[in-house]
Amino acid sequence: MRYFLCLSLVIFHFSFASAQFTIVELNCENLFDTRHDSLKQDQEFLPDGSLHWTKSKYWRKLNAIGQEILSCDDKCPELVALVEVENDSVLFDLTRRSLLRNAGYRYTVTASPDVRGLDVAILYQPERFTQLTYSAIRVPPLSGQRPTRDILYIKGVVATGDTLHIFIVHAPSRYGGEKRTRPYRMQVARLLCQQIDSLGQQAQVIITGDFNDYAESPALQHLYKRGLVNATASACGRHGAKGTYRYRGEWRSIDHLLVTPSLSDRVDSAYVNDAPFLLEEDDKYGDYRPRRTFRNYRYQPNGFSDHLPLVVRFRAK
Protein backbone atom coordinates (compact mmCIF):
# COMPACT_ATOMS: atom_id res chain seq x y z
CA MET A 1 0.00 0.00 0.00
CA ARG A 2 1.40 3.35 -1.09
CA TYR A 3 1.41 6.09 1.54
CA PHE A 4 3.26 9.10 2.88
CA LEU A 5 6.27 8.57 5.05
CA CYS A 6 7.71 11.39 7.05
CA LEU A 7 10.96 12.08 5.32
CA SER A 8 11.67 16.33 -8.09
CA LEU A 9 16.22 16.50 -7.44
CA VAL A 10 15.66 20.01 -4.78
CA ILE A 11 18.63 20.22 -2.47
CA PHE A 12 18.84 22.80 0.30
CA HIS A 13 22.21 23.42 1.92
CA PHE A 14 22.25 25.85 4.86
CA SER A 15 25.62 27.09 6.00
CA PHE A 16 25.74 28.25 9.61
CA ALA A 17 29.14 29.88 9.11
CA SER A 18 27.99 32.07 6.21
CA ALA A 19 24.29 32.18 7.20
CA GLN A 20 23.32 31.14 3.67
CA PHE A 21 21.17 28.40 2.28
CA THR A 22 21.37 26.59 -1.05
CA ILE A 23 18.64 24.84 -3.03
CA VAL A 24 19.13 22.19 -5.72
CA GLU A 25 16.45 20.64 -7.95
CA LEU A 26 16.90 17.32 -9.78
CA ASN A 27 14.82 15.01 -11.95
CA CYS A 28 16.07 11.43 -11.32
CA GLU A 29 14.92 9.96 -14.65
CA ASN A 30 12.72 6.99 -13.77
CA LEU A 31 13.92 5.88 -10.36
CA PHE A 32 11.87 2.66 -10.21
CA ASP A 33 12.32 -0.39 -8.03
CA THR A 34 12.11 -3.92 -9.51
CA ARG A 35 8.76 -4.92 -7.99
CA HIS A 36 5.47 -4.72 -9.83
CA ASP A 37 2.74 -2.46 -8.48
CA SER A 38 -0.47 -4.08 -9.70
CA LEU A 39 -2.18 -0.67 -9.76
CA LYS A 40 0.44 0.95 -12.00
CA GLN A 41 1.87 0.53 -15.48
CA ASP A 42 5.45 -0.12 -14.40
CA GLN A 43 6.00 -3.33 -16.34
CA GLU A 44 8.96 -2.07 -18.39
CA PHE A 45 10.92 -1.54 -15.15
CA LEU A 46 10.80 -5.18 -14.10
CA PRO A 47 13.47 -7.89 -14.54
CA ASP A 48 11.40 -9.48 -17.33
CA GLY A 49 10.25 -6.14 -18.74
CA SER A 50 11.37 -4.46 -21.95
CA LEU A 51 14.19 -2.63 -20.14
CA HIS A 52 15.30 -5.71 -18.17
CA TRP A 53 15.43 -3.66 -14.97
CA THR A 54 17.29 -5.96 -12.58
CA LYS A 55 18.27 -5.49 -8.96
CA SER A 56 21.88 -4.79 -9.89
CA LYS A 57 20.78 -2.01 -12.26
CA TYR A 58 18.44 -0.64 -9.59
CA TRP A 59 21.18 -0.45 -6.94
CA ARG A 60 23.60 1.07 -9.41
CA LYS A 61 20.98 3.72 -10.18
CA LEU A 62 20.42 4.46 -6.48
CA ASN A 63 24.12 5.00 -5.91
CA ALA A 64 24.37 7.13 -9.05
CA ILE A 65 21.61 9.43 -7.79
CA GLY A 66 23.31 9.57 -4.40
CA GLN A 67 26.60 10.52 -6.04
CA GLU A 68 24.87 13.19 -8.11
CA ILE A 69 23.27 14.70 -5.01
CA LEU A 70 26.53 14.73 -3.09
CA SER A 71 28.33 16.43 -5.99
CA CYS A 72 26.10 19.50 -5.74
CA ASP A 73 27.98 20.94 -2.77
CA ASP A 74 31.14 20.39 -0.77
CA LYS A 75 28.98 19.39 2.21
CA CYS A 76 26.18 16.88 2.38
CA PRO A 77 23.00 18.72 1.32
CA GLU A 78 20.52 19.22 4.14
CA LEU A 79 17.35 19.14 2.04
CA VAL A 80 16.66 17.38 -1.28
CA ALA A 81 13.59 17.41 -3.53
CA LEU A 82 13.32 14.62 -6.08
CA VAL A 83 11.27 14.26 -9.26
CA GLU A 84 10.51 10.91 -10.94
CA VAL A 85 10.73 8.52 -8.00
CA GLU A 86 8.39 5.55 -7.85
CA ASN A 87 7.42 5.11 -4.20
CA ASP A 88 8.37 5.15 -0.54
CA SER A 89 10.39 1.91 -0.77
CA VAL A 90 12.70 3.56 -3.31
CA LEU A 91 13.18 6.48 -0.90
CA PHE A 92 13.92 4.06 1.94
CA ASP A 93 16.60 2.32 -0.11
CA LEU A 94 18.05 5.63 -1.26
CA THR A 95 18.31 7.10 2.24
CA ARG A 96 19.16 3.96 4.22
CA ARG A 97 21.03 1.63 1.89
CA SER A 98 22.78 3.68 -0.83
CA LEU A 99 25.70 6.11 -0.80
CA LEU A 100 23.41 8.46 1.15
CA ARG A 101 22.96 6.04 4.06
CA ASN A 102 25.16 8.07 6.44
CA ALA A 103 23.50 11.41 5.67
CA GLY A 104 20.67 10.98 8.19
CA TYR A 105 17.88 11.82 5.81
CA ARG A 106 14.18 11.48 6.50
CA TYR A 107 11.72 11.72 3.65
CA THR A 108 8.21 12.62 2.52
CA VAL A 109 6.86 11.25 -0.75
CA THR A 110 3.55 11.59 -2.55
CA ALA A 111 1.29 8.72 -3.64
CA SER A 112 0.05 10.17 -6.91
CA PRO A 113 -2.51 8.70 -9.33
CA ASP A 114 0.06 8.91 -12.14
CA VAL A 115 -0.54 5.82 -14.30
CA ARG A 116 3.13 4.80 -14.34
CA GLY A 117 3.50 5.39 -10.61
CA LEU A 118 5.86 8.37 -10.67
CA ASP A 119 5.93 10.65 -7.63
CA VAL A 120 7.84 13.60 -6.19
CA ALA A 121 9.61 13.59 -2.83
CA ILE A 122 11.69 15.61 -0.44
CA LEU A 123 14.59 14.52 1.77
CA TYR A 124 15.70 16.44 4.81
CA GLN A 125 18.08 16.27 7.74
CA PRO A 126 15.88 17.01 10.77
CA GLU A 127 18.64 18.82 12.66
CA ARG A 128 18.89 21.37 9.82
CA PHE A 129 15.27 21.55 8.66
CA THR A 130 12.18 21.28 10.83
CA GLN A 131 9.26 20.04 8.78
CA LEU A 132 6.11 21.53 10.29
CA THR A 133 3.49 20.16 7.92
CA TYR A 134 3.09 18.63 4.48
CA SER A 135 0.32 17.60 2.11
CA ALA A 136 -0.26 16.30 -1.38
CA ILE A 137 -2.25 18.56 -3.68
CA ARG A 138 -4.24 16.55 -6.21
CA VAL A 139 -4.37 17.93 -9.76
CA PRO A 140 -7.81 17.04 -11.19
CA PRO A 141 -7.40 15.77 -14.77
CA LEU A 142 -9.10 17.66 -17.58
CA SER A 143 -11.22 15.94 -20.21
CA GLY A 144 -9.11 13.41 -22.09
CA GLN A 145 -6.16 13.77 -19.72
CA ARG A 146 -4.50 10.91 -17.87
CA PRO A 147 -4.12 11.30 -14.09
CA THR A 148 -0.96 13.23 -13.30
CA ARG A 149 1.45 13.73 -10.40
CA ASP A 150 0.38 15.38 -7.16
CA ILE A 151 2.06 18.59 -6.06
CA LEU A 152 3.98 18.10 -2.82
CA TYR A 153 3.64 20.96 -0.31
CA ILE A 154 5.97 21.28 2.68
CA LYS A 155 6.12 23.98 5.33
CA GLY A 156 9.26 24.09 7.42
CA VAL A 157 11.88 26.16 9.20
CA VAL A 158 15.49 26.23 8.03
CA ALA A 159 18.65 26.89 10.02
CA THR A 160 18.58 30.59 9.14
CA GLY A 161 15.23 30.88 10.95
CA ASP A 162 13.21 31.38 7.76
CA THR A 163 9.84 29.69 7.45
CA LEU A 164 9.54 28.37 3.91
CA HIS A 165 6.54 27.15 1.94
CA ILE A 166 7.87 24.70 -0.65
CA PHE A 167 5.96 23.27 -3.60
CA ILE A 168 7.49 20.47 -5.68
CA VAL A 169 5.91 19.84 -9.08
CA HIS A 170 6.18 17.44 -11.97
CA ALA A 171 3.83 18.98 -14.52
CA PRO A 172 2.19 16.96 -17.32
CA SER A 173 4.47 16.21 -20.26
CA ARG A 174 4.26 17.52 -23.81
CA TYR A 175 3.59 14.04 -25.20
CA GLY A 176 0.97 14.48 -27.92
CA GLY A 177 2.09 18.00 -28.79
CA GLU A 178 2.85 21.18 -26.86
CA LYS A 179 -0.28 23.03 -27.95
CA ARG A 180 -2.65 20.15 -27.22
CA THR A 181 -1.16 19.50 -23.77
CA ARG A 182 -0.69 23.16 -22.80
CA PRO A 183 -4.02 23.34 -20.86
CA TYR A 184 -2.79 20.54 -18.57
CA ARG A 185 0.26 22.56 -17.49
CA MET A 186 -1.78 25.76 -17.27
CA GLN A 187 -4.06 24.00 -14.81
CA VAL A 188 -1.07 23.21 -12.59
CA ALA A 189 0.02 26.86 -12.73
CA ARG A 190 -3.46 28.09 -11.77
CA LEU A 191 -3.64 25.60 -8.90
CA LEU A 192 -0.26 26.78 -7.61
CA CYS A 193 -1.43 30.40 -7.69
CA GLN A 194 -4.51 29.47 -5.67
CA GLN A 195 -2.35 27.76 -3.08
CA ILE A 196 0.00 30.74 -2.83
CA ASP A 197 -2.90 33.16 -2.43
CA SER A 198 -4.14 31.12 0.52
CA LEU A 199 -0.82 31.58 2.35
CA GLY A 200 -0.93 35.38 2.53
CA GLN A 201 1.32 38.02 1.01
CA GLN A 202 4.14 37.67 3.56
CA ALA A 203 4.75 33.98 2.90
CA GLN A 204 8.19 33.00 1.60
CA VAL A 205 7.43 30.59 -1.21
CA ILE A 206 9.62 28.32 -3.34
CA ILE A 207 8.19 26.39 -6.29
CA THR A 208 10.50 23.96 -8.03
CA GLY A 209 10.54 20.82 -10.12
CA ASP A 210 10.10 19.68 -13.70
CA PHE A 211 7.55 21.98 -15.32
CA ASN A 212 7.87 20.39 -18.80
CA ASP A 213 7.87 23.99 -20.04
CA TYR A 214 10.46 26.60 -20.84
CA ALA A 215 10.94 29.87 -18.97
CA GLU A 216 8.93 31.82 -21.55
CA SER A 217 6.05 29.31 -21.79
CA PRO A 218 2.45 30.34 -20.93
CA ALA A 219 2.28 28.33 -17.68
CA LEU A 220 5.45 30.01 -16.38
CA GLN A 221 4.18 33.40 -17.56
CA HIS A 222 1.04 32.83 -15.50
CA LEU A 223 3.16 32.31 -12.39
CA TYR A 224 5.21 35.43 -13.13
CA LYS A 225 2.00 37.47 -13.24
CA ARG A 226 1.31 36.28 -9.71
CA GLY A 227 4.58 37.97 -8.71
CA LEU A 228 6.87 34.93 -8.67
CA VAL A 229 10.42 35.31 -9.96
CA ASN A 230 12.28 32.62 -11.88
CA ALA A 231 15.60 32.47 -10.03
CA THR A 232 17.00 30.00 -12.58
CA ALA A 233 15.85 31.56 -15.86
CA SER A 234 19.45 32.24 -16.93
CA ALA A 235 21.14 29.38 -15.07
CA CYS A 236 24.02 27.76 -16.98
CA GLY A 237 26.66 25.21 -16.12
CA ARG A 238 30.30 25.76 -15.33
CA HIS A 239 31.42 23.20 -17.91
CA GLY A 240 29.36 24.24 -20.94
CA ALA A 241 25.77 23.22 -20.14
CA LYS A 242 23.31 25.96 -21.10
CA GLY A 243 20.36 24.30 -19.40
CA THR A 244 19.32 21.22 -17.45
CA TYR A 245 18.17 19.21 -20.46
CA ARG A 246 19.41 18.68 -24.00
CA TYR A 247 17.03 17.76 -26.82
CA ARG A 248 18.21 17.24 -30.40
CA GLY A 249 21.42 19.11 -29.73
CA GLU A 250 19.80 22.12 -28.05
CA TRP A 251 20.29 22.97 -24.39
CA ARG A 252 17.09 24.14 -22.69
CA SER A 253 15.66 24.11 -19.17
CA ILE A 254 12.33 22.57 -18.26
CA ASP A 255 13.40 22.45 -14.61
CA HIS A 256 12.93 25.74 -12.75
CA LEU A 257 13.00 27.28 -9.31
CA LEU A 258 10.61 30.16 -8.67
CA VAL A 259 10.47 32.31 -5.56
CA THR A 260 8.51 35.18 -4.08
CA PRO A 261 10.18 38.64 -4.34
CA SER A 262 11.46 38.66 -0.75
CA LEU A 263 13.54 35.57 -1.54
CA SER A 264 14.46 36.75 -5.02
CA ASP A 265 16.30 39.71 -3.53
CA ARG A 266 18.52 37.26 -1.63
CA VAL A 267 19.64 35.07 -4.53
CA ASP A 268 23.43 34.99 -4.51
CA SER A 269 23.96 32.60 -7.44
CA ALA A 270 22.02 30.17 -9.63
CA TYR A 271 23.66 27.61 -11.89
CA VAL A 272 23.40 24.11 -13.37
CA ASN A 273 25.58 21.41 -11.82
CA ASP A 274 27.26 20.02 -14.93
CA ALA A 275 30.16 18.26 -13.25
CA PRO A 276 32.15 16.48 -16.01
CA PHE A 277 31.25 12.99 -14.74
CA LEU A 278 27.56 13.80 -15.33
CA LEU A 279 28.19 14.49 -19.04
CA GLU A 280 29.01 12.44 -22.12
CA GLU A 281 29.92 13.35 -25.69
CA ASP A 282 26.99 13.88 -28.03
CA ASP A 283 28.09 11.86 -31.04
CA LYS A 284 25.19 13.04 -33.21
CA TYR A 285 25.00 16.78 -32.57
CA GLY A 286 28.42 17.46 -31.08
CA ASP A 287 29.32 19.00 -27.72
CA TYR A 288 28.12 17.24 -24.54
CA ARG A 289 24.82 16.04 -23.08
CA PRO A 290 23.65 14.62 -19.73
CA ARG A 291 24.82 11.04 -19.14
CA ARG A 292 21.47 9.30 -18.78
CA THR A 293 20.59 5.78 -17.63
CA PHE A 294 19.06 4.66 -20.93
CA ARG A 295 20.00 5.96 -24.37
CA ASN A 296 17.58 4.79 -27.10
CA TYR A 297 16.44 1.95 -24.77
CA ARG A 298 20.06 0.88 -24.36
CA TYR A 299 21.23 0.63 -20.78
CA GLN A 300 24.27 2.72 -19.78
CA PRO A 301 25.84 1.33 -16.57
CA ASN A 302 27.65 4.62 -15.96
CA GLY A 303 24.53 6.75 -16.46
CA PHE A 304 22.89 9.14 -14.02
CA SER A 305 19.89 11.08 -15.38
CA ASP A 306 18.74 12.88 -18.51
CA HIS A 307 18.42 16.05 -16.37
CA LEU A 308 21.16 18.00 -14.60
CA PRO A 309 20.63 19.48 -11.12
CA LEU A 310 19.84 23.15 -10.52
CA VAL A 311 21.68 24.92 -7.70
CA VAL A 312 20.53 28.21 -6.13
CA ARG A 313 22.32 29.90 -3.23
CA PHE A 314 20.54 32.46 -1.05
CA ARG A 315 22.09 35.12 1.17
CA ALA A 316 20.88 35.64 4.72
CA LYS A 317 18.59 38.55 5.49
Side-chain angles (χ1 to χ4, degrees):
M1 177 177 178
R2 297 161 60 82
Y3 53 88
F4 285 99
L5 283 180
C6 191
L7 281 265
S8 68
L9 252 270
V10 178
I11 302 167
F12 293 65
H13 164 245
F14 305 94
S15 171
F16 289 103
S18 60
Q20 293 180 335
F21 63 89
T22 301
I23 303 174
V24 178
E25 182 274 337
L26 173 65
N27 182 316
C28 297
E29 188 199 7
N30 295 319
L31 183 51
F32 281 84
D33 62 23
T34 60
R35 295 181 293 275
H36 177 47
D37 183 339
S38 61
L39 300 178
K40 301 296 180 181
Q41 298 175 16
D42 60 356
Q43 288 87 348
E44 65 179 349
F45 281 94
L46 296 175
D48 59 353
S50 59
L51 296 177
H52 305 290
W53 192 240
T54 61
K55 287 187 177 181
S56 63
K57 292 176 181 178
Y58 169 62
W59 286 107
R60 187 184 291 271
K61 174 78 171 184
L62 286 172
N63 284 320
I65 295 300
Q67 183 181 2
E68 189 163 8
I69 289 169
L70 293 172
S71 74
C72 289
D73 195 65
D74 57 358
K75 297 180 180 179
C76 187
E78 285 82 2
L79 207 157
V80 184
L82 304 174
V83 176
E84 286 200 14
V85 295
E86 186 184 13
N87 52 38
D88 56 274
S89 66
V90 168
L91 272 298
F92 180 87
D93 288 341
L94 181 65
T95 58
R96 300 292 187 271
R97 305 174 69 188
S98 78
L99 287 176
L100 294 180
R101 59 186 176 275
N102 295 322
Y105 285 120
R106 296 181 184 176
Y107 60 89
T108 301
V109 58
T110 59
S112 301
D114 177 79
V115 295
R116 295 180 63 220
L118 289 175
D119 292 307
V120 299
I122 194 163
L123 316 181
Y124 64 91
Q125 293 179 319
E127 68 275 13
R128 300 292 181 90
F129 178 83
T130 302
Q131 181 173 274
L132 301 177
T133 186
Y134 67 90
S135 63
I137 302 167
R138 186 60 44 94
V139 181
L142 301 177
S143 176
Q145 181 188 4
R146 301 194 310 178
T148 190
R149 279 75 59 175
D150 291 345
I151 300 167
L152 179 58
Y153 165 70
I154 310 100
K155 178 182 178 181
V157 180
V158 297
T160 58
D162 293 295
T163 297
L164 300 179
H165 300 267
I166 306 162
F167 296 87
I168 303 171
V169 306
H170 186 188
S173 75
R174 295 183 168 208
Y175 183 77
E178 188 279 328
K179 187 174 182 180
R180 188 182 74 80
T181 59
R182 185 184 302 171
Y184 307 157
R185 294 182 295 281
M186 285 296 300
Q187 185 190 31
V188 172
R190 287 191 290 268
L191 185 55
L192 285 167
C193 288
Q194 293 172 10
Q195 294 294 319
I196 296 169
D197 289 341
S198 70
L199 297 174
Q201 295 193 356
Q202 301 305 313
Q204 297 188 102
V205 177
I206 296 171
I207 302 176
T208 192
D210 182 348
F211 289 75
N212 274 306
D213 261 332
Y214 304 128
E216 67 276 10
S217 298
L220 274 295
Q221 294 291 332
H222 188 79
L223 292 168
Y224 303 154
K225 290 177 182 178
R226 171 55 182 74
L228 292 162
V229 179
N230 192 337
T232 56
S234 302
C236 294
R238 296 171 174 177
H239 301 278
K242 299 178 177 63
T244 60
Y245 189 79
R246 199 161 193 250
Y247 181 67
R248 294 181 177 176
E250 183 180 7
W251 281 107
R252 297 295 298 268
S253 286
I254 56 179
D255 305 276
H256 306 279
L257 190 143
L258 280 63
V259 295
T260 41
S262 61
L263 286 173
S264 173
D265 293 339
R266 295 163 56 187
V267 173
D268 184 62
S269 62
Y271 60 92
V272 176
N273 175 17
D274 61 345
F277 73 89
L278 297 175
L279 303 173
E280 65 180 4
E281 290 188 11
D282 190 332
D283 51 8
K284 183 174 182 179
Y285 296 101
D287 199 13
Y288 290 87
R289 62 192 177 192
R291 189 187 298 273
R292 61 186 301 175
T293 305
F294 283 92
R295 177 72 57 187
N296 297 324
Y297 292 95
R298 188 164 147 191
Y299 175 65
Q300 299 195 128
N302 59 348
F304 292 86
S305 173
D306 57 346
H307 292 241
L308 295 172
L310 282 174
V311 183
V312 182
R313 288 198 173 97
F314 291 87
R315 295 183 295 270
K317 292 181 181 178

